[in-house]
Amino acid sequence: MKRSHKLGLTALGMAGAASVLALVAIAAPTPSKISLAGSRVDNFMLADQTGMGHELYYFKDAAAIVIVASVDGDATSKRAEAALVKLQSQYKDKNVRFVMLDSGLNSKRGQFDGKPGSAEIPVLADELQLVGRSLGVTTTGEAFVVEPKTWKVAYHGPIDGSFADKKVANGDVSTALNAVLAGKAPPVVEASFKGAKIDFPDRAKAADFAKISYSKDVAPILADKCVVCHTEGGMGPFKMDKFEVVKTMAPMIRESLRTGRMPPYHSDPH
């Protein structure tokens, strides 16, 4: 059975969400220029292929979380899913979570199959590419081992040697997981990988995003979608009446949009 499902961000509209998130400093790292190991992973909530929602910080008690980039129909992604199934079996009693992140532009959107929560490996639909951009994803099969105690990337690289661009001893997810589970830093925190390039058009628009005007581009969206509650005497916890206030609350606004807490369900006609 298929079900139609829309995530909370659609209430703002794709253009509106992009403008607001650009305002709140959603500058994604440039993967080719910096190391992603040690970077903090922001909270998000996305639906998987069965329609089940997954909020990252909900799994704060997990020993580790493995996120692997994918694209629907990609050969490397299919191999990566098979590799994760094996790893999941290997670590089934270790409280490790395994998910795939589909940030592909041409992936299926809004159509889900099966009983919610029945996916062997959840494939999260990164509909607006916000999570992929924030993580610094570039390639299918690219793996991130996240440590929930700090929400930082403990390892960034190939799943195993078959996904490596250049094989490096101990440069794999299993070795990284063993280290994290033992309370140690992985012997290798960054390793090169190979796979299909994932297109993130917004990365080329960084200069345009820098030109976004709060008064002309962002404030009208807030006035139309947010200020009805975020005003004096309103239900919102703070007033969106000044640029300084919105800028100060930027991290919370960003997380609220990504996790679908905002806009609240009763104000979202979609």
Side-chain angles (χ1 to χ4, degrees), residues 52-99:
M52 175 65 73
H54 297 259
E55 182 175 358
L56 181 66
Y57 285 11
Y58 176 82
F59 301 107
K60 63 182 184 299
D61 294 325
I65 299 171
V66 178
I67 303 173
V68 174
S70 70
V71 167
D72 185 47
D74 168 66
T76 299
S77 299
K78 291 180 180 179
R79 289 199 303 114
E81 184 173 10
L84 287 191
V85 169
K86 292 181 179 179
L87 282 171
Q88 184 168 256
S89 176
Q90 180 181 343
Y91 291 91
K92 64 180 180 180
D93 298 322
K94 303 295 185 180
N95 194 23
V96 178
R97 307 287 304 189
F98 295 87
V99 299

Side-chain angles (χ1 to χ4, degrees), residues 14 33-34 42-43 98 110 133 152 157-158 205-206 221 224 236 251:
M14 293 183 70
K33 295 182 179 180
I34 64 174
D42 287 336
N43 194 19
F98 295 87
R133 284 180 56 218
K152 290 184 177 181
K205 300 177 182 178
I221 296 171
D224 184 42

